[in-house]
Amino acid sequence: MFINYFRNKKMKKQYSENNCGFTSDGSYIEDVLVKAKDENMYLIRHTQYADENKELTTFGIYRIFNNKDKQIGHLKYVFNNKDKNDVHMILCDIYFDFLYRNIGLGSKTLALFEKRAKCYGAQHITGKLSDVDEQTPYEKALRNEFYRRTGYEIINFKMIYKTISK
């Protein structure tokens, strides 16, 4: 606990402000520092990838780092704006190491993702539930409760859906 105090302090100093900018390959990076229920600091780094022409693509990822600078989770997405009548985000994958579940990081990451979806003009978010999260009835119930608690509707036991408010 004493060591975490210094690690948290180092993170606060290093990421004192929310940082954003472009990398040399044209990808967009945004860093957000958050405090979880375990009282530790975590970095949520959003990357929207650039293509070979340094144009931003529709693919992105949120990587979550602990105060030891180790990646402990991610959220991957695709922005779909091909049909102007159905602009939406696809939540491809969300994962956290077991020790970092149920401390609020998933909800915080999902909230940042939803904020980005709204900025992109998405009308809704959709995604397919992973069979990996169904290894035990407990894991499946935990996953389903997480999505319901964050405002998602589970459709046919395999899809999630959420309308984005304007």
Side-chain angles (χ1 to χ4, degrees):
M1 190 160 166
F2 188 65
I3 293 172
N4 276 337
Y5 170 80
F6 288 106
R7 288 181 182 148
N8 289 338
K9 191 172 180 178
K10 179 183 170 192
M11 281 191 87
K12 286 179 188 177
K13 184 177 180 183
Q14 188 173 1
Y15 302 104
S16 61
E17 297 179 20
N18 293 345
N19 298 312
C20 60
F22 291 89
T23 62
S24 60
D25 73 351
S27 294
Y28 176 75
I29 305 285
E30 181 179 26
D31 291 341
V32 176
L33 191 63
V34 299
K35 188 175 195 177
K37 291 177 187 174
D38 67 356
E39 298 298 317
N40 286 314
M41 301 305 295
Y42 295 87
L43 178 69
I44 301 174
R45 175 169 288 154
H46 170 248
T47 304
Q48 184 180 357
Y49 298 110
D51 61 17
E52 60 278 351
N53 299 320
K54 296 192 176 188
E55 297 289 327
L56 291 176
T57 66
T58 58
F59 303 98
I61 187 169
Y62 288 83
R63 288 185 179 91
I64 299 81
F65 297 90
N66 66 10
N67 62 9
K68 298 176 190 171
D69 205 29
K70 178 184 180 265
Q71 183 175 330
I72 50 99
H74 66 263
L75 181 153
K76 297 177 183 178
Y77 71 88
V78 175
F79 175 56
N80 187 332
N81 63 349
K82 292 176 183 145
D83 180 355
K84 297 301 176 196
N85 294 320
D86 185 26
V87 178
H88 63 280
M89 295 287 266
I90 303 168
L91 176 57
C92 300
D93 187 28
I94 185 169
Y95 170 81
F96 284 89
D97 290 348
F98 187 77
L99 293 174
Y100 298 94
R101 296 179 185 176
N102 299 313
I103 60 171
L105 291 173
S107 299
K108 289 176 188 285
T109 305
L110 202 55
L112 289 170
F113 166 68
E114 291 171 1
K115 182 178 176 184
R116 177 143 317 273
K118 191 173 184 178
C119 289
Y120 286 174
Q123 300 157 347
H124 63 274
I125 296 170
T126 188
K128 184 177 180 213
L129 294 173
S130 172
D131 294 337
V132 172
D133 299 325
E134 297 179 357
Q135 299 299 319
T136 66
Y138 174 75
E139 288 173 336
K140 182 178 179 179
L142 198 61
R143 176 205 60 197
N144 291 353
E145 181 55 29
F146 167 74
Y147 282 115
R148 284 189 191 103
R149 190 179 67 248
T150 53
Y152 286 80
E153 179 183 352
I154 297 176
I155 303 169
N156 295 329
F157 306 105
K158 286 293 173 190
M159 299 292 293
I160 57 169
Y161 181 89
K162 183 175 186 176
T163 302
I164 301 294
S165 59
K166 298 291 177 191

PDB file of all heavy atoms in Angstrom, residues 147-158:
ATOM      1  N   TYR A 147     -23.348  -4.999 -18.332  1.00  0.00           N
ATOM      2  CA  TYR A 147     -23.961  -4.303 -19.479  1.00  0.00           C
ATOM      3  C   TYR A 147     -25.315  -3.707 -19.117  1.00  0.00           C
ATOM      4  O   TYR A 147     -25.624  -2.580 -19.508  1.00  0.00           O
ATOM      5  CB  TYR A 147     -24.076  -5.244 -20.684  1.00  0.00           C
ATOM      6  CG  TYR A 147     -22.759  -5.418 -21.392  1.00  0.00           C
ATOM      7  CD1 TYR A 147     -22.121  -6.648 -21.431  1.00  0.00           C
ATOM      8  CD2 TYR A 147     -22.120  -4.342 -22.010  1.00  0.00           C
ATOM      9  CE1 TYR A 147     -20.905  -6.811 -22.073  1.00  0.00           C
ATOM     10  CE2 TYR A 147     -20.903  -4.493 -22.651  1.00  0.00           C
ATOM     11  CZ  TYR A 147     -20.305  -5.722 -22.675  1.00  0.00           C
ATOM     12  OH  TYR A 147     -19.097  -5.880 -23.307  1.00  0.00           O
ATOM     13  N   ARG A 148     -26.128  -4.428 -18.373  1.00  0.00           N
ATOM     14  CA  ARG A 148     -27.437  -3.884 -17.971  1.00  0.00           C
ATOM     15  C   ARG A 148     -27.270  -2.646 -17.091  1.00  0.00           C
ATOM     16  O   ARG A 148     -27.952  -1.641 -17.272  1.00  0.00           O
ATOM     17  CB  ARG A 148     -28.250  -4.948 -17.231  1.00  0.00           C
ATOM     18  CG  ARG A 148     -28.832  -5.983 -18.136  1.00  0.00           C
ATOM     19  CD  ARG A 148     -29.821  -6.895 -17.396  1.00  0.00           C
ATOM     20  NE  ARG A 148     -30.159  -8.018 -18.227  1.00  0.00           N
ATOM     21  CZ  ARG A 148     -29.680  -9.247 -18.081  1.00  0.00           C
ATOM     22  NH1 ARG A 148     -28.858  -9.525 -17.092  1.00  0.00           N
ATOM     23  NH2 ARG A 148     -30.012 -10.210 -18.891  1.00  0.00           N
ATOM     24  N   ARG A 149     -26.333  -2.718 -16.134  1.00  0.00           N
ATOM     25  CA  ARG A 149     -26.088  -1.602 -15.216  1.00  0.00           C
ATOM     26  C   ARG A 149     -25.595  -0.356 -15.959  1.00  0.00           C
ATOM     27  O   ARG A 149     -25.854   0.759 -15.546  1.00  0.00           O
ATOM     28  CB  ARG A 149     -25.076  -2.034 -14.152  1.00  0.00           C
ATOM     29  CG  ARG A 149     -24.917  -1.059 -13.010  1.00  0.00           C
ATOM     30  CD  ARG A 149     -23.924  -1.528 -11.954  1.00  0.00           C
ATOM     31  NE  ARG A 149     -22.569  -1.567 -12.473  1.00  0.00           N
ATOM     32  CZ  ARG A 149     -21.842  -2.664 -12.692  1.00  0.00           C
ATOM     33  NH1 ARG A 149     -22.344  -3.850 -12.422  1.00  0.00           N
ATOM     34  NH2 ARG A 149     -20.634  -2.600 -13.177  1.00  0.00           N
ATOM     35  N   THR A 150     -24.900  -0.541 -17.064  1.00  0.00           N
ATOM     36  CA  THR A 150     -24.382   0.597 -17.830  1.00  0.00           C
ATOM     37  C   THR A 150     -25.327   1.015 -18.961  1.00  0.00           C
ATOM     38  O   THR A 150     -24.949   1.806 -19.815  1.00  0.00           O
ATOM     39  CB  THR A 150     -22.974   0.291 -18.376  1.00  0.00           C
ATOM     40  OG1 THR A 150     -22.992  -0.935 -19.105  1.00  0.00           O
ATOM     41  CG2 THR A 150     -21.956   0.220 -17.257  1.00  0.00           C
ATOM     42  N   GLY A 151     -26.554   0.487 -18.926  1.00  0.00           N
ATOM     43  CA  GLY A 151     -27.592   0.967 -19.836  1.00  0.00           C
ATOM     44  C   GLY A 151     -27.746   0.217 -21.141  1.00  0.00           C
ATOM     45  O   GLY A 151     -28.460   0.665 -22.038  1.00  0.00           O
ATOM     46  N   TYR A 152     -27.122  -0.937 -21.270  1.00  0.00           N
ATOM     47  CA  TYR A 152     -27.224  -1.717 -22.505  1.00  0.00           C
ATOM     48  C   TYR A 152     -28.360  -2.718 -22.414  1.00  0.00           C
ATOM     49  O   TYR A 152     -28.674  -3.222 -21.349  1.00  0.00           O
ATOM     50  CB  TYR A 152     -25.912  -2.453 -22.796  1.00  0.00           C
ATOM     51  CG  TYR A 152     -24.838  -1.523 -23.286  1.00  0.00           C
ATOM     52  CD1 TYR A 152     -24.109  -0.747 -22.388  1.00  0.00           C
ATOM     53  CD2 TYR A 152     -24.564  -1.391 -24.637  1.00  0.00           C
ATOM     54  CE1 TYR A 152     -23.142   0.129 -22.820  1.00  0.00           C
ATOM     55  CE2 TYR A 152     -23.596  -0.511 -25.078  1.00  0.00           C
ATOM     56  CZ  TYR A 152     -22.889   0.241 -24.170  1.00  0.00           C
ATOM     57  OH  TYR A 152     -21.948   1.121 -24.606  1.00  0.00           O
ATOM     58  N   GLU A 153     -28.932  -2.996 -23.551  1.00  0.00           N
ATOM     59  CA  GLU A 153     -29.971  -4.011 -23.671  1.00  0.00           C
ATOM     60  C   GLU A 153     -29.319  -5.262 -24.247  1.00  0.00           C
ATOM     61  O   GLU A 153     -28.534  -5.167 -25.201  1.00  0.00           O
ATOM     62  CB  GLU A 153     -31.069  -3.501 -24.608  1.00  0.00           C
ATOM     63  CG  GLU A 153     -32.193  -4.446 -24.842  1.00  0.00           C
ATOM     64  CD  GLU A 153     -33.208  -3.894 -25.834  1.00  0.00           C
ATOM     65  OE1 GLU A 153     -33.106  -2.710 -26.215  1.00  0.00           O
ATOM     66  OE2 GLU A 153     -34.093  -4.660 -26.217  1.00  0.00           O
ATOM     67  N   ILE A 154     -29.600  -6.409 -23.675  1.00  0.00           N
ATOM     68  CA  ILE A 154     -29.072  -7.664 -24.205  1.00  0.00           C
ATOM     69  C   ILE A 154     -30.158  -8.288 -25.066  1.00  0.00           C
ATOM     70  O   ILE A 154     -31.280  -8.513 -24.615  1.00  0.00           O
ATOM     71  CB  ILE A 154     -28.636  -8.615 -23.072  1.00  0.00           C
ATOM     72  CG1 ILE A 154     -27.493  -7.963 -22.294  1.00  0.00           C
ATOM     73  CG2 ILE A 154     -28.218  -9.970 -23.640  1.00  0.00           C
ATOM     74  CD1 ILE A 154     -27.022  -8.745 -21.099  1.00  0.00           C
ATOM     75  N   ILE A 155     -29.816  -8.528 -26.331  1.00  0.00           N
ATOM     76  CA  ILE A 155     -30.781  -9.027 -27.314  1.00  0.00           C
ATOM     77  C   ILE A 155     -30.432 -10.464 -27.680  1.00  0.00           C
ATOM     78  O   ILE A 155     -29.300 -10.752 -28.078  1.00  0.00           O
ATOM     79  CB  ILE A 155     -30.771  -8.137 -28.575  1.00  0.00           C
ATOM     80  CG1 ILE A 155     -31.080  -6.686 -28.185  1.00  0.00           C
ATOM     81  CG2 ILE A 155     -31.753  -8.647 -29.616  1.00  0.00           C
ATOM     82  CD1 ILE A 155     -30.837  -5.690 -29.279  1.00  0.00           C
ATOM     83  N   ASN A 156     -31.406 -11.354 -27.549  1.00  0.00           N
ATOM     84  CA  ASN A 156     -31.246 -12.772 -27.903  1.00  0.00           C
ATOM     85  C   ASN A 156     -30.025 -13.421 -27.256  1.00  0.00           C
ATOM     86  O   ASN A 156     -29.391 -14.290 -27.848  1.00  0.00           O
ATOM     87  CB  ASN A 156     -31.174 -12.946 -29.431  1.00  0.00           C
ATOM     88  CG  ASN A 156     -32.468 -12.548 -30.098  1.00  0.00           C
ATOM     89  OD1 ASN A 156     -33.541 -12.675 -29.528  1.00  0.00           O
ATOM     90  ND2 ASN A 156     -32.366 -12.040 -31.308  1.00  0.00           N
ATOM     91  N   PHE A 157     -29.652 -12.980 -26.085  1.00  0.00           N
ATOM     92  CA  PHE A 157     -28.551 -13.540 -25.307  1.00  0.00           C
ATOM     93  C   PHE A 157     -27.173 -13.414 -25.973  1.00  0.00           C
ATOM     94  O   PHE A 157     -26.194 -13.933 -25.469  1.00  0.00           O
ATOM     95  CB  PHE A 157     -28.802 -15.017 -24.966  1.00  0.00           C
ATOM     96  CG  PHE A 157     -30.108 -15.259 -24.300  1.00  0.00           C
ATOM     97  CD1 PHE A 157     -31.157 -15.821 -25.002  1.00  0.00           C
ATOM     98  CD2 PHE A 157     -30.302 -14.894 -22.978  1.00  0.00           C
ATOM     99  CE1 PHE A 157     -32.386 -16.044 -24.390  1.00  0.00           C
ATOM    100  CE2 PHE A 157     -31.524 -15.124 -22.361  1.00  0.00           C
ATOM    101  CZ  PHE A 157     -32.564 -15.692 -23.069  1.00  0.00           C
ATOM    102  N   LYS A 158     -27.084 -12.720 -27.120  1.00  0.00           N
ATOM    103  CA  LYS A 158     -25.816 -12.670 -27.852  1.00  0.00           C
ATOM    104  C   LYS A 158     -25.395 -11.265 -28.287  1.00  0.00           C
ATOM    105  O   LYS A 158     -24.254 -11.067 -28.679  1.00  0.00           O
ATOM    106  CB  LYS A 158     -25.883 -13.561 -29.107  1.00  0.00           C
ATOM    107  CG  LYS A 158     -25.827 -15.022 -28.791  1.00  0.00           C
ATOM    108  CD  LYS A 158     -24.462 -15.387 -28.225  1.00  0.00           C
ATOM    109  CE  LYS A 158     -24.401 -16.799 -27.743  1.00  0.00           C
ATOM    110  NZ  LYS A 158     -23.182 -17.077 -27.005  1.00  0.00           N
TER     111      LYS A 158
END
